[in-house]
Coordinates of all heavy atoms in Angstrom, one line a residue:
V198 N 81.0 88.0 80.4 CA 79.7 88.6 80.4 C 79.7 89.9 79.8 O 80.6 90.7 79.7 CB 79.2 88.7 81.9 CG1 79.0 87.3 82.5 CG2 80.0 89.5 82.8
Q199 N 78.4 90.3 79.3 CA 78.1 91.6 78.7 C 77.6 92.5 79.9 O 77.1 91.9 81.0 CB 77.0 91.6 77.7 CG 77.5 90.7 76.5 CD 76.4 90.6 75.4 OE1 75.3 90.9 75.6 NE2 77.0 90.4 74.2
A200 N 77.7 93.8 79.7 CA 77.1 94.7 80.7 C 75.6 94.4 80.8 O 74.9 94.1 79.8 CB 77.2 96.2 80.2
G201 N 75.2 94.4 82.0 CA 73.7 94.0 82.3 C 73.5 92.5 82.5 O 72.5 92.2 82.9
G202 N 74.5 91.7 82.4 CA 74.4 90.3 82.5 C 74.5 89.8 83.9 O 74.7 90.7 84.8
R224 N 87.3 91.4 95.5 CA 87.7 91.6 94.0 C 88.9 92.3 93.8 O 89.2 93.1 94.7 CB 86.6 92.0 93.1 CG 86.2 93.4 93.3 CD 85.0 93.8 92.5 NE 84.6 95.1 92.6 CZ 83.5 95.7 92.1 NH1 82.7 94.9 91.4 NH2 83.1 96.9 92.2
V226 N 91.5 94.2 91.0 CA 91.8 94.7 89.6 C 93.3 95.2 89.6 O 93.7 95.8 90.7 CB 90.9 95.9 89.1 CG1 91.2 96.4 87.8 CG2 89.5 95.3 89.1
K229 N 94.9 98.3 91.7 CA 94.1 98.7 92.8 C 94.2 97.5 93.9 O 94.3 96.4 93.6 CB 92.6 98.8 92.4 CG 92.5 99.9 91.3 CD 90.8 100.1 91.1 CE 90.7 101.4 90.2 NZ 89.2 101.6 89.9
R252 N 72.7 95.1 93.6 CA 72.9 94.3 92.4 C 73.5 92.8 92.9 O 73.2 92.0 92.0 CB 73.9 95.1 91.4 CG 73.4 96.3 91.1 CD 74.4 96.9 89.9 NE 75.7 97.1 90.5 CZ 76.9 96.6 90.1 NH1 76.8 95.7 89.1 NH2 77.9 96.9 90.6
F253 N 74.3 92.9 93.8 CA 74.8 91.5 94.2 C 74.2 91.0 95.5 O 73.8 91.8 96.3 CB 76.4 91.7 94.5 CG 77.2 92.1 93.3 CD1 76.7 92.3 92.0 CD2 78.7 92.0 93.5 CE1 77.6 92.6 91.0 CE2 79.5 92.3 92.4 CZ 79.0 92.6 91.2
S270 N 72.9 92.6 86.9 CA 73.2 93.9 86.4 C 74.6 94.4 86.3 O 75.0 95.4 86.7 CB 72.3 94.9 87.1 OG 71.0 94.6 87.2
L271 N 75.4 93.6 85.8 CA 76.9 93.8 85.8 C 77.2 95.1 85.1 O 76.6 95.3 84.0 CB 77.6 92.5 85.3 CG 77.7 91.4 86.2 CD1 78.0 90.1 85.4 CD2 78.6 91.6 87.3
K272 N 78.2 95.7 85.6 CA 78.6 97.0 85.0 C 80.0 96.9 84.6 O 80.8 96.1 85.0 CB 78.4 98.2 86.1 CG 77.1 98.4 86.5 CD 77.0 99.5 87.5 CE 75.5 99.8 87.9 NZ 75.6 101.0 89.0
P273 N 80.5 97.9 83.8 CA 81.9 97.8 83.3 C 82.8 97.9 84.4 O 84.0 97.2 84.2 CB 82.1 99.3 82.5 CG 80.6 99.4 82.0 CD 79.7 99.0 83.1
G274 N 82.6 98.3 85.6 CA 83.6 98.3 86.7 C 83.7 96.9 87.5 O 84.6 96.8 88.4
D275 N 82.8 96.1 87.2 CA 82.7 94.7 87.9 C 83.7 93.8 87.4 O 84.2 92.9 88.3 CB 81.3 94.2 87.8 CG 80.3 95.1 88.4 OD1 80.5 95.7 89.5 OD2 79.1 95.1 88.0
P276 N 84.2 93.6 86.2 CA 85.2 92.6 85.8 C 86.3 92.7 86.6 O 87.0 93.7 86.9 CB 85.4 93.0 84.3 CG 84.1 93.5 83.8 CD 83.6 94.4 85.0
A277 N 86.8 91.5 87.2 CA 87.9 91.4 88.0 C 88.2 90.0 88.4 O 87.3 89.1 88.0 CB 87.6 92.2 89.4
Y279 N 87.8 87.5 91.3 CA 87.0 87.5 92.6 C 87.5 86.3 93.4 O 87.8 85.2 92.9 CB 85.5 87.2 92.2 CG 84.8 88.5 91.8 CD1 85.0 89.0 90.5 CD2 83.9 89.2 92.6 CE1 84.4 90.2 90.0 CE2 83.4 90.4 92.1 CZ 83.5 90.8 90.9 OH 83.0 91.9 90.5
V297 N 86.0 87.3 86.2 CA 84.9 87.9 85.5 C 85.3 88.8 84.5 O 86.0 89.8 84.9 CB 83.8 88.5 86.5 CG1 82.7 89.2 85.9 CG2 83.4 87.5 87.5
T298 N 85.0 88.5 83.3 CA 85.6 89.3 82.2 C 84.5 90.0 81.4 O 83.4 89.3 81.1 CB 86.4 88.4 81.2 OG1 87.4 87.7 82.0 CG2 87.1 89.2 80.1
D299 N 84.7 91.3 80.9 CA 83.8 92.0 80.2 C 84.0 91.5 78.7 O 85.0 91.6 78.1 CB 84.2 93.5 80.3 CG 83.1 94.4 79.7 OD1 82.2 93.9 78.9 OD2 83.2 95.6 80.0
S300 N 82.8 91.2 78.0 CA 82.9 90.8 76.7 C 82.8 91.8 75.7 O 83.0 91.6 74.4 CB 81.7 89.8 76.5 OG 80.4 90.4 76.6
S301 N 82.5 93.0 76.1 CA 82.4 94.2 75.1 C 83.7 94.6 74.8 O 84.7 94.4 75.3 CB 81.6 95.3 75.9 OG 82.3 95.9 77.0

Side-chain angles (χ1 to χ4, degrees):
V198 297
Q199 297 180 341
R224 67 185 180 191
V226 179
K229 297 182 178 181
R252 301 186 297 116
F253 291 10
S270 302
L271 287 162
K272 297 180 177 180
D275 294 325
Y279 283 76
V297 175
T298 305
D299 191 346
S300 66
S301 63

